[in-house]
Amino acid sequence: MRGGDALVETLLTHGVDTAFTVPGESFLATLEAIRQRGARMRLISMRHESGAGFAADAFARLTGRPAAVMVSRGPGAANASISLHAARQDSVPMFLMMGQVKRAVIGREAFQEIDPASAFASMTKAVVQPSDTGAIPGLAADALRIAMDGRPGPVVFVMPRDVDQGTATTAIPAAVPRPALEPAGETVARLAALVAGARRPLIIAGEAVQREGAQAALAVFAERIGAAVFAAYRRQDVLDNLHPHYAGHLEINRLPYQQDALRTADLVLALGTRLDGVTTMEMGEDILPSIECLAQIYPDAEVLDRFPNSVAVLSDVVPALAKITGLVEDRSRDAQSWVGPLHDAYLASSLPAAHPAYGDMDLGQAVVEAARITGETAITVTDGGSFARWVHRFLRVRVSGTILGPAVGAMGYAVPGAVGAAAARPEQRVVTWVGDGGFMMTGQELATAAEHGLRITVIVCDNSAQGSILSGQQRNYGAGADIATRLRSPDFAALGRAYGVPAWTVERTEMFGPAFADATALDGPSLLHVRTDQRDIVPYAD
């Protein structure tokens, strides 16, 4: 078989049946292999390589398995690198195949050549290249294992053009399921002892909770030990937000009750979170030194070594919770005085009245209305940008796997991410919130949604500014000290219609509900151009 056949058969054998691409001449044999296999491998052609990667990222979050990203060498791979960075920081498995020049000219700065190892090593788990066509199946299988092993993440598989088109007879390795990472008994006992002595325990739950489907186990554990639960940044679906132990989402803007809880807790358990920079407020006041006792459960030793944990448990979330829950006494009756006020504070803070808008368009009210119309099972995708904090603050997430967004803060994620989400769950409505800046980066993927008839509603929040930077300029240098941050937006509704997508323009709060209801009633993509006031950059006090 040709190299392309060997790669595609290996991907299919290992459960990868969806790929996103901007096609390139350096991997024509792989594209032909996909064409010959028809419905066995779904290939979605995107308009930009970053969009292909973001779509694959969203697909993997919702399915628990990687999609393939197929891009050409040099410019194509460089365009896709933003999605590698996002997948690495968000612990999302991804298999990116990069077409490469022929082996004979590697290292000569051939046309569009880059050195993928040096270019992508810091943002991937591995960069691998088969030495010949016969090495493809074994190396691709290894790459997929690495992508899923321990803390998941992206891998780059470099396919030289002559290897792609070469021939070999090689067996396809069988898929081996990733085994659960069990905790050591000694660390479980130490953590159980800490939990037993805690009277104000607080859990910060992160990406591994969602990935492992551990929401129910987390709820049981939190109830048993009397713990309040914070969601790590952009992980609001770790627990039903109306669960009485849920205490809110750790955003860039920290609310006073959340700061007080972190300082008051006598045990903070970081559960399945790498303790990213926003969650730990590394961009502002660092909360970690004030924590009395910090413990962490995570499936990666390198992550555990980053913080001064009292107990570090190297484990997946589900087996760790199963063992620890059985070792601690039931303190659920004693928990109300600790968790009750925190849950009440969260409920009060998530009402739009807690921070009404200055302008005619209140995004908080729009977020609540959108949730009412689409229900609990619609998938929400947010982009990088300050506007997303309106969604994070006022959307009460009830069901696991219904909210996605880049913890790395990458602008341009939302529209292609919605394409990936719709590909993963075509039966569910996808609502994607994006700023005018982010839409201008990757909004052309709306054409992909239209081509495939995907059930995506894009809400463009347009304040004609790079909002977070504008607010930073004003905060640091005073009113009028802005530069390069005020923008002239196009007519996004007209742009949506140019892509063949029905579109509405919304300028006042009362216009949103009817327009959104009409948009989401369609069996296909739609767009709302929502004009907002530059005073309403974030739903928090200055």
Side-chain angles (χ1 to χ4, degrees):
M1 64 175 70
R2 288 191 180 274
D5 294 297
L7 177 61
V8 173
E9 281 299 326
T10 303
L11 292 173
L12 288 168
T13 299
H14 289 255
V16 179
D17 60 3
T18 300
F20 300 89
T21 190
V22 174
E25 52 82 26
S26 54
F27 55 98
L28 292 177
T30 296
L31 292 172
E32 174 61 12
I34 295 174
R35 187 192 68 81
Q36 290 181 357
R37 282 155 181 79
R40 291 180 61 203
M41 171 71 80
R42 175 174 49 172
L43 182 67
I44 298 177
S45 186
M46 307 291 287
R47 269 52 176 184
H48 194 271
E49 289 88 355
S50 66
F54 284 145
D57 179 288
F59 182 94
R61 291 175 191 243
L62 293 177
T63 63
R65 53 191 171 86
V69 183
M70 297 181 176
V71 299
S72 196
R73 59 188 183 260
N79 282 342
S81 64
I82 186 174
S83 64
L84 292 173
H85 187 218
R88 180 58 174 157
Q89 291 218 346
D90 277 0
S91 309
V92 176
M94 181 184 293
F95 182 96
L96 186 143
M97 189 215 73
M98 183 195 104
Q100 179 60 302
V101 299
K102 294 181 179 180
R103 288 170 293 176
V105 297
I106 289 177
R108 297 182 186 174
E109 200 177 345
F111 179 60
Q112 296 186 335
E113 182 189 1
I114 62 171
D115 175 13
S118 60
F120 304 128
S122 67
M123 59 183 80
T124 62
K125 295 186 72 176
V127 178
V128 299
Q129 177 180 310
S131 56
D132 53 45
T133 303
I136 288 174
L139 196 60
D142 285 344
L144 288 166
R145 175 188 56 78
I146 292 169
M148 292 295 293
D149 195 32
R151 175 191 175 192
V155 296
V156 171
F157 186 90
V158 182
M159 180 77 94
R161 183 174 180 174
D162 54 325
V163 174
D164 176 58
Q165 297 179 343
T167 58
T169 303
T170 309
I172 306 298
V176 179
R178 174 191 182 276
L181 181 58
E182 299 279 346
E186 183 269 336
T187 58
V188 169
R190 288 173 57 204
L191 181 55
L194 284 181
V195 170
R199 291 298 174 263
R200 297 179 305 280
L202 182 62
I203 296 171
I204 301 176
E207 63 272 15
V209 174
Q210 192 278 333
R211 183 174 65 248
E212 296 180 39
Q215 289 82 351
L218 169 58
V220 170
F221 180 68
E223 292 165 6
R224 186 170 183 84
I225 71 171
V229 177
F230 279 142
Y233 183 49
R234 291 183 181 260
R235 305 294 176 183
Q236 299 99 307
D237 62 344
V238 292
L239 187 66
D240 180 349
N241 293 181
L242 295 187
H243 189 283
H245 286 247
Y246 185 74
H249 168 235
L250 296 180
E251 247 286 2
I252 292 174
N253 300 89
R254 195 66 52 81
L255 292 169
Y257 85 89
Q258 296 174 323
Q259 288 290 85
D260 291 342
L262 285 162
R263 292 191 181 97
T264 304
D266 55 5
L267 170 64
V268 173
L269 172 59
L271 181 66
T273 171
R274 67 176 180 87
L275 290 173
D276 60 274
V278 175
T279 298
T280 58
M281 288 194 74
E282 72 180 17
M283 293 188 296
E285 178 188 358
D286 193 342
I287 196 66
L288 289 180
S290 66
I291 291 176
E292 181 177 334
C293 182
L294 175 68
Q296 190 172 13
I297 298 173
Y298 204 77
D300 187 291
E302 180 181 346
V303 169
L304 294 174
D305 289 341
R306 294 174 182 172
F307 298 97
N309 295 305
S310 298
V311 176
V313 181
L314 181 63
S315 175
D316 287 331
V317 167
V318 170
L321 286 184
K323 291 189 176 182
I324 295 169
T325 301
L327 295 177
V328 296
E329 64 179 6
D330 187 349
R331 294 209 305 272
S332 56
R333 293 184 180 179
D334 304 326
Q336 187 55 36
S337 62
W338 168 239
V339 302
L342 292 176
H343 182 62
D344 291 343
Y346 158 71
L347 292 177
S349 72
S350 62
L351 294 172
H355 190 93
Y358 294 102
D360 293 333
M361 182 64 229
D362 188 332
L363 280 180
Q365 296 285 0
V367 168
V368 171
E369 183 69 357
R372 184 191 67 79
I373 291 171
T374 56
E376 298 173 357
T377 60
I379 297 170
T380 298
V381 183
T382 59
D383 208 77
S386 295
F387 79 92
R389 294 178 222 176
W390 291 86
V391 182
H392 298 163
R393 179 162 186 176
F394 298 116
L395 178 64
R396 294 176 175 178
V397 181
R398 306 297 310 279
V399 179
S400 173
T402 57
I403 188 163
L404 309 174
V408 71
M411 291 176 64
Y413 181 93
V415 179
V419 170
R425 295 185 181 175
E427 73 284 357
Q428 291 175 251
R429 168 63 60 176
V430 179
V431 178
T432 189
W433 299 77
V434 60
D436 49 308
F439 186 89
M440 291 298 287
M441 293 181 180
T442 57
Q444 72 276 1
E445 300 302 347
L446 193 59
T448 307
E451 179 180 342
H452 293 273
L454 303 177
R455 299 178 66 233
I456 293 168
T457 297
V458 177
I459 301 172
V460 184
C461 303
D462 174 21
N463 62 3
S464 296
Q466 300 286 13
S468 61
I469 312 305
L470 173 61
S471 64
Q473 290 170 337
Q474 294 173 335
R475 184 172 57 253
N476 286 281
Y477 306 111
D482 54 274
I483 180 172
T485 47
R486 296 187 190 272
L487 309 172
R488 180 178 177 179
S489 292
D491 183 339
F492 289 109
L495 187 57
R497 287 190 285 270
Y499 285 126
V501 173
W504 292 256
T505 298
V506 175
E507 297 179 330
R508 299 186 307 278
T509 304
E510 62 270 22
M511 297 173 64
F512 181 85
F516 183 79
D518 289 344
T520 52
L522 298 174
D523 189 22
S526 53
L527 180 145
L528 269 63
H529 178 188
V530 178
R531 300 184 188 272
T532 64
D533 195 299
Q534 288 185 359
R535 294 173 296 173
D536 292 319
I537 290 176
V538 296
Y540 297 92
D542 293 336

